[in-house]
Amino acid sequence: MFVGLSACKTKRDTPNSITAPTLEKGESFFNVNNDSAFYYFNLVATSATDSLEIAIAYTYMGIIQAYEGDQYGGQESLLKSLTYLNENKEQDRECISSNYHELGNVCLNLKNYKAAVEYYYKGLQFMESPITKNIALNNIALTYQKNGEYDKAIELYTSLLTKNADRKKEYARVLSNYARTKWLKNPTYPAGKELRQALQIRLDSNDNRGLNASYAHLSDYYTNTKPDSALYFAEKRYAVAQLNNSTDDQIEALSKLISLSPPKLLKPYFVRYQFLSDSLQAAKNAAKNQFALIRFETLQLQKDNAQKEVQLVEQQYILVLTIFFFIAISTAIIIWYRKRQQQIKAASIQAIQENQLKTSQKVHDVVANGLYRIMTDVEHNDDIDKELLIDKIEDLYEKSRDISYDKPINPNIPFDQKIDELLTSFSSDNTRVLMVGHSAATWERTHEVAQYEVEHILQELMVNMKKHSQASNVVLKFERQQDRIHIHYTDDGIGFSPQVKYGNGWQNTENRIHKIQGEYTFEHPTKGLKIHISFPIAYSS
């Protein structure tokens, strides 16, 4: 948390860098009333126009969510923050390092040790302070230790002992971790002397958080050789955990006391352990629900305000629009009569062209992309069911035979489920696909034809990503605002030049977007690709 808080504040010392009062309001509540802090940060994230403000708000939200036990929610917010930051901008680099470090902490808590190390090292590239660098390296060593890679952990701890010789608290932390790692690697290693040395430094420094770790390490170390000493240090840890008001540490200390204490003392420890465990789980569940409710209420408030603004504008212009309507009708009748013969001829030519285009689109969407999805399943699924594979190929064969005529859209499968299955089918060990804001409510009142086109638009995006982007992370955000649906696609792949010539696949996709009266824009950041697509909910064929 120290790294997370300091990193995003470092570049905001000047008065003009951050001006949003809601961001300052959120900071005033941070670590005092996190529900209120989350509310104000969410307002910034959903209404601010400055990308750095938005990124900082999402970083705070991710830290709060992870601290309150919502690890996956915190991971989502931190990844969202990164999409608003640019590694080439000096003012963004500190916040980038903060996000990567906090993502490392989340992955460490989720026991995803490989990802944790990767995120820690990414964050380390953007850190300038020796203090924060040493903290990051200590966390990397701790991750190696928890993953059983003791030699790597010991190598890092040895280096950190030299670097932190003059910083007592940090030296004690590294020394205690170093001794514990040596003991875990070799149970005969005499770690007691070094563990007690670290304990004494922490006692002299009144480092209560550090004392909790030292007592835990000493209790584990003496469990098999000196049970009385192990029980003594477990009792000391429980007392410090109560002093620190840390529920997690109290639960761990009680668990140790239950395993070491004589039978007559077990009942009060067990009752307290059960009570704290239930309370902690209830608090975490409440926090998750509260954060979701805050986001929902904020979005609802923004939607209501937007609707009121639209109604006001409509009332102001209704008279002007009525006059122009009658003028337009009169003009249209005259023009229509004159151009009728030209339209008949043009319609005939256009019908032929549209039929050719429609057939081309079907060949591309049904055969080419369908075959590519089957290839992707085979590539990433070693245990694929042969019968299921044959069924998919037979289904593709039947679709190719029916390609010359229209078949009714199958409404049996909910559209949100179809989109989930489509997007997750492109997720693999090398590529993570994250969906944000996607639910059945997103697609309410959308036309079947619009759904059909959107499905193939998304399929084309994901096929192109799989073929060309070399992306590790893909984020698709779905928003429903002012009677329009917005789809934001972002990946961290190699991107492509703005001067690139689009092939038939994207031309078909462009035609589909125009067919549902939609719009699209490309962004070409230094790394990766961003595509924004929107279309009206009230589309009619």
Side-chain angles (χ1 to χ4, degrees):
M1 180 165 292
F2 170 78
V3 174
L5 296 181
S6 64
C8 278
K9 289 184 177 182
T10 303
K11 296 300 181 183
R12 298 194 292 110
D13 296 333
T14 57
N16 296 327
S17 59
I18 297 298
T19 58
T22 49
L23 187 60
E24 297 172 359
K25 191 75 172 178
E27 290 174 339
S28 69
F29 283 108
F30 186 72
N31 271 347
V32 177
N33 185 336
N34 280 339
D35 284 351
S36 297
F38 189 90
Y39 171 79
Y40 286 107
F41 292 138
N42 190 54
L43 280 180
V44 177
T46 55
S47 60
T49 56
D50 181 84
S51 60
L52 182 56
E53 290 182 8
I54 297 172
I56 292 173
Y58 273 119
T59 300
Y60 272 116
M61 290 164 65
I63 293 173
I64 292 172
Q65 288 170 286
Y67 179 76
E68 298 293 344
D70 185 7
Q71 302 294 332
Y72 290 105
Q75 186 179 54
E76 178 183 337
S77 296
L78 293 167
L79 288 171
K80 185 67 176 177
S81 175
L82 286 172
T83 64
Y84 290 93
L85 298 169
N86 187 337
E87 295 181 1
N88 295 320
K89 292 183 178 180
E90 180 66 25
Q91 64 269 29
D92 290 2
R93 294 173 66 86
E94 294 289 347
C95 203
I96 291 173
S97 70
S98 170
N99 281 318
Y100 280 134
H101 191 86
E102 292 302 324
L103 283 167
N105 291 340
V106 169
C107 290
L108 179 60
N109 292 333
L110 294 174
K111 303 187 186 307
N112 187 354
Y113 300 123
K114 180 180 179 181
V117 170
E118 291 177 356
Y119 280 127
Y120 282 137
Y121 272 118
K122 284 183 178 179
L124 197 61
Q125 298 175 19
F126 300 95
M127 293 180 183
E128 297 178 1
S129 167
I131 296 176
T132 55
K133 284 184 177 181
N134 288 342
I135 292 175
L137 289 170
N138 185 83
N139 286 351
I140 293 171
L142 179 62
T143 306
Y144 282 140
Q145 180 206 93
K146 289 183 177 294
N147 198 32
E149 299 179 83
Y150 299 126
D151 289 335
K152 291 182 179 180
I154 291 170
E155 182 180 355
L156 276 178
Y157 283 136
T158 302
S159 173
L160 288 170
L161 284 172
T162 303
K163 294 179 181 179
N164 294 282
D166 298 330
R167 299 177 61 241
K168 290 185 177 180
K169 288 186 178 181
E170 190 62 27
Y171 180 82
R173 174 165 65 170
V174 176
L175 179 62
S176 186
N177 287 333
Y178 168 80
R180 175 177 171 81
T181 306
K182 295 276 285 186
W183 170 67
L184 289 173
K185 180 184 177 183
N186 178 12
T188 63
Y189 178 76
K193 180 180 179 181
E194 292 164 325
L195 291 174
R196 288 179 177 275
Q197 180 184 352
L199 172 63
Q200 188 60 50
I201 295 174
R202 285 166 162 169
L203 286 170
D204 295 339
S205 304
N206 294 321
D207 181 10
N208 287 334
R209 292 186 60 85
L211 286 173
N212 174 77
S214 280
Y215 288 139
H217 292 173
L218 283 163
S219 181
D220 290 342
Y221 175 71
Y222 286 117
T223 295
N224 295 326
T225 58
K226 296 181 179 180
D228 291 343
S229 296
L231 177 60
Y232 169 78
F233 287 118
E235 291 172 343
K236 298 292 285 185
R237 184 192 183 187
Y238 182 51
V240 169
Q242 289 178 304
L243 183 64
N244 293 338
N245 196 27
S246 172
T247 303
D248 287 322
D249 291 337
Q250 289 183 58
I251 290 174
E252 291 184 10
L254 286 167
S255 177
K256 193 70 175 179
L257 286 171
I258 290 171
S259 67
L260 294 171
S261 299
K264 63 181 180 180
L265 297 179
L266 289 181
K267 185 176 180 180
Y269 287 148
F270 182 79
V271 171
R272 183 60 179 169
Y273 174 87
Q274 191 66 39
F275 171 77
L276 289 177
S277 297
D278 293 343
S279 299
L280 181 62
Q281 188 59 46
K284 289 181 177 180
N285 292 337
K288 294 179 183 179
N289 295 334
Q290 181 68 9
F291 296 145
L293 181 61
I294 290 172
R295 281 183 163 174
F296 173 78
E297 290 177 346
T298 302
L299 290 174
Q300 189 63 39
L301 178 61
Q302 292 174 337
K303 182 179 179 181
D304 292 342
N305 291 336
Q307 289 177 343
K308 290 179 181 179
E309 292 178 2
V310 171
Q311 291 173 356
L312 180 60
V313 172
E314 289 176 349
Q315 292 173 358
Q316 292 174 344
Y317 287 98
I318 188 169
L319 180 60
V320 175
L321 292 176
T322 302
I323 295 173
F324 275 106
F325 172 76
F326 284 107
I327 294 174
I329 290 294
S330 301
T331 304
I333 292 174
I334 297 172
I335 296 174
W336 174 84
Y337 179 77
R338 293 177 178 177
K339 292 186 176 181
R340 178 57 178 170
Q341 296 302 318
Q342 296 177 355
Q343 290 175 347
I344 292 173
K345 182 178 179 180
S348 178
I349 298 173
Q350 183 179 1
I352 296 173
Q353 294 175 340
E354 288 179 350
N355 185 62
Q356 293 174 339
L357 176 61
K358 189 174 183 181
T359 302
S360 174
Q361 287 178 335
K362 284 185 177 182
V363 171
H364 181 271
D365 296 334
V366 175
V367 180
N369 285 344
L371 183 58
Y372 189 82
R373 287 182 65 182
I374 292 175
M375 291 167 59
T376 302
D377 286 343
V378 174
E379 179 183 359
H380 297 289
N381 189 352
D382 294 333
D383 300 323
I384 190 167
D385 187 342
K386 180 179 179 181
E387 294 296 328
L388 178 61
L389 177 61
I390 292 174
D391 289 342
K392 289 183 178 181
I393 295 175
E394 183 177 353
D395 180 62
L396 181 61
Y397 168 72
E398 292 297 332
K399 288 180 179 179
S400 67
R401 292 185 61 190
D402 297 330
I403 207 166
S404 60
Y405 63 90
D406 290 328
K407 295 187 70 176
I409 299 172
N410 183 5
N412 294 330
I413 301 177
F415 185 67
D416 61 300
Q417 181 179 334
K418 291 176 68 175
I419 296 301
D420 282 338
E421 293 176 355
L422 169 66
L423 297 179
T424 55
S425 69
F426 288 90
S427 181
S428 67
D429 293 338
N430 298 322
T431 304
R432 290 179 291 184
V433 179
L434 175 66
M435 288 174 280
V436 181
H438 182 253
S439 66
T442 306
W443 306 105
E444 288 181 358
R445 298 188 296 108
T446 55
H447 197 277
E448 288 182 352
V449 174
Q451 292 182 2
Y452 177 84
E453 301 298 342
V454 168
E455 180 183 0
H456 287 87
I457 290 168
L458 292 175
Q459 179 175 267
E460 182 64 29
L461 288 179
M462 299 306 291
V463 169
N464 283 339
M465 177 277 297
K466 200 69 175 181
K467 287 182 177 179
H468 308 298
S469 73
Q470 303 176 22
S472 300
N473 297 284
V474 179
V475 179
L476 289 105
K477 177 182 179 183
F478 298 83
E479 293 181 316
R480 186 182 176 114
Q481 296 180 353
Q482 299 182 2
D483 293 326
R484 292 184 72 87
I485 290 180
H486 300 264
I487 302 174
H488 307 281
Y489 169 93
T490 305
D491 70 42
D492 60 358
I494 61 176
F496 59 85
S497 170
Q499 290 78 31
V500 71
K501 293 184 178 180
Y502 305 121
N504 290 334
W506 180 254
Q507 291 178 356
N508 288 339
T509 301
E510 184 179 41
N511 291 333
R512 291 187 183 279
I513 295 173
H514 290 159
K515 182 178 179 180
I516 58 176
Q517 303 163 11
E519 300 172 350
Y520 71 92
T521 58
F522 279 89
E523 290 187 30
H524 303 278
T526 303
K527 180 180 181 182
L529 176 65
K530 294 183 179 181
I531 303 175
H532 307 282
I533 300 171
S534 69
F535 63 92
I537 296 171
Y539 163 77
S540 60
S541 54

